[in-house]
Amino acid sequence: MRRRSWWPVALAWGLAGLAVLSGVPSFWLLSRVWFEGSTEAAPTFATVGPVALTVVSAVGVGALVASRRPAHPVGWLLLGVGLAVATNSLVEPYAKYGLVTRPGSLPAARYLVPIVYSSYFVGLACAGFVLLLTPTGSLPSPRWRWWARVAAAAPVLTVVGFGIQPDPLAPDYIGNPFSVPALAPALLVAALAGIAVIMAGLLLGAVSLVLRFRRARGVERLQLRWLVLAAACASVLLLIGLVAVFLAKDGLVLASLALCLALLPLATGAAILRYRLYDLDRIISRTLAYGLLTILLGLAYAAVVLGLGGLLPDSSSLAVAAATLAVAAIFQPVRRRVQALVDRRFNRRRHDAARTIADFSDRLRSQVDLGTLTGELLTVVDQTMQPTTTSLWLKP
């Protein structure tokens, strides 16, 4: 058996640890920038939490995939996404503190100005390649090679284009030491074109996944179903975030965005490492069943409490006790009915297997011929378990 090389494991988890540990000085610098008179809002868990969750999920899954499958590029790309976000989270407050809050207090703050914000585009470019190369690690077809080359050049143009601007995307930072005023206008256009390509890369990466899913068979299709589930959950979270924007609930917007960004790395890692591929139908059906069950029992509990509360205004404790007993009594019957309803729609194989076994149990009560029972038992096992071969041995 070939031994696994140790250096990809050490490199992957070392990069992941570096990205996570960078959050400590980042938060300290953000606190100092705000504490010493900055006009910006103070950093809170609602604002820092989504960034931290994105970094942890991306580098955690990336390190796991890269250490177990070093030849697969998606693990290293996920590490790139997490490192890009972590780098900007550290560099931005460092530059603000060293150039705006307390000028000259931090060394080399001016030389980090070109990295501010442009590292985000590097992370987005890596995310586009993650979508393009998942789950096999190769392009969907040779026809995508030209686009892969263009998408790889886009973040380079963006970083270089903004790196030589006098004030790259940040008017507070005066005096970029790498600025080249003569080339700045032309490279600014190139940088903006690179951003457009990066954004288009995210969209085309999603399109490539749809095309893969339509053509995929066997294990690859099972892998892609994890991403389909994550995309569906992310769509719901984005919808919640849009509603929260109109309601001016900033905390809910950031929370939904963070969960959306954390789901995709987790689904990508599960698909590449082939974790519980064959249990996905069961996971979906159980999630939907218990979600519906929670809503139904919550409504029933509220109805009983409000109903008895209106009839017996002085007996609120009696209403709560009655509602609790009613919910406990109907829990199992409602759970079975909801689970059967969800299985019929989302886990048809399990539903059909349960019906086949139930029908066989009914026939078993009235059947006495051993030869007929043997044939029916083998048929039921074949239909429910789908083994390669079936045989039955009876002790004489």
Side-chain angles (χ1 to χ4, degrees):
M1 183 177 178
R2 185 179 178 182
R3 291 186 61 185
R4 183 184 301 174
S5 180
W6 62 269
W7 71 265
V9 180
L11 179 60
W13 288 107
L15 292 175
L18 184 64
V20 173
L21 291 177
S22 68
V24 177
S26 300
F27 190 74
W28 182 83
L29 284 170
L30 278 173
S31 302
R32 299 301 299 176
V33 168
W34 169 75
F35 181 74
E36 298 194 10
S38 175
T39 57
E40 298 183 1
T44 62
F45 180 77
T47 55
V48 177
V51 177
L53 185 59
T54 302
V55 172
V56 170
S57 63
V59 299
V61 175
L64 185 64
V65 174
S67 60
R68 293 195 175 189
R69 301 187 61 184
H72 203 295
V74 170
W76 303 106
L77 288 169
L78 286 173
L79 281 171
V81 173
L83 284 170
V85 177
T87 298
N88 193 83
S89 301
L90 178 61
V91 168
E92 182 181 1
Y94 189 94
K96 283 184 178 180
Y97 191 80
L99 294 176
V100 180
T101 306
R102 300 184 69 178
S105 60
L106 295 177
R110 292 180 57 195
Y111 296 96
L112 296 178
V113 169
I115 307 176
V116 177
Y117 302 128
S118 62
S119 58
Y120 272 133
F121 298 112
V122 177
L124 290 175
C126 291
F129 274 102
V130 168
L131 296 174
L132 195 62
L133 300 175
T134 301
T136 61
S138 58
L139 296 173
S141 69
R143 290 179 296 179
W144 288 82
R145 288 176 182 169
W146 69 272
W147 173 253
R149 297 188 184 100
V150 173
V156 177
L157 282 177
T158 302
V159 172
V160 173
F162 285 128
I164 68 168
Q165 302 300 315
D167 304 311
L169 292 181
D172 290 335
Y173 307 147
I174 306 300
N176 177 14
F178 300 106
S179 63
V180 183
L183 297 177
L187 284 180
L188 179 61
V189 174
L192 295 176
I195 293 176
V197 171
I198 291 171
M199 296 304 175
L202 293 171
L203 180 61
L204 288 178
V207 171
S208 72
L209 282 177
V210 175
L211 296 177
R212 276 185 190 268
F213 187 75
R214 294 180 61 182
R215 297 195 302 261
R217 296 292 181 271
V219 174
E220 185 178 353
R221 190 173 183 87
L222 293 175
Q223 290 176 290
L224 289 171
R225 289 199 305 172
W226 272 108
L227 295 172
V228 171
L229 176 62
C233 295
S235 300
V236 174
L237 289 170
L238 287 177
L239 182 61
I240 294 173
L242 289 175
V243 174
V245 169
F246 289 106
L247 297 177
K249 302 289 185 180
D250 294 339
L252 184 58
V253 173
L254 293 170
S256 61
L257 183 60
L259 290 175
C260 177
L261 294 174
L263 274 176
L264 294 176
L266 293 174
T268 303
I272 294 173
L273 298 176
R274 301 182 182 182
Y275 176 72
R276 301 180 72 89
L277 289 182
Y278 298 95
D279 292 341
L280 187 58
D281 290 334
R282 185 177 180 86
I283 293 171
I284 294 173
S285 66
R286 286 298 174 91
T287 302
L288 291 174
Y290 281 99
L292 290 173
L293 184 64
T294 302
I295 294 173
L296 291 175
L297 293 182
L299 292 175
Y301 183 87
V304 173
V305 169
L306 293 176
L308 289 180
L311 296 174
L312 304 171
D314 297 329
S315 303
S316 58
S317 59
L318 178 62
V320 172
T324 304
L325 291 174
V327 168
I330 65 175
F331 175 78
Q332 285 297 341
V334 173
R335 187 192 69 81
R336 284 193 293 267
R337 289 181 177 273
V338 170
Q339 188 68 63
L341 178 64
V342 172
D343 285 342
R344 190 180 302 120
R345 178 64 182 87
F346 293 97
N347 195 2
R348 191 72 188 185
R349 181 178 175 182
R350 182 174 184 270
H351 174 72
D352 292 341
R355 290 198 59 179
T356 302
I357 294 173
D359 293 342
F360 176 70
S361 300
D362 293 337
R363 294 195 302 271
L364 189 61
R365 297 188 184 96
S366 58
Q367 185 62 255
V368 295
D369 183 63
L370 185 59
T372 305
L373 278 177
T374 300
E376 289 190 1
L377 179 60
L378 293 175
T379 302
V380 168
V381 171
D382 184 65
Q383 291 177 354
T384 55
M385 305 299 293
Q386 296 182 356
T388 306
T389 59
T390 57
S391 61
L392 177 64
W393 179 80
L394 297 175
K395 185 178 179 180

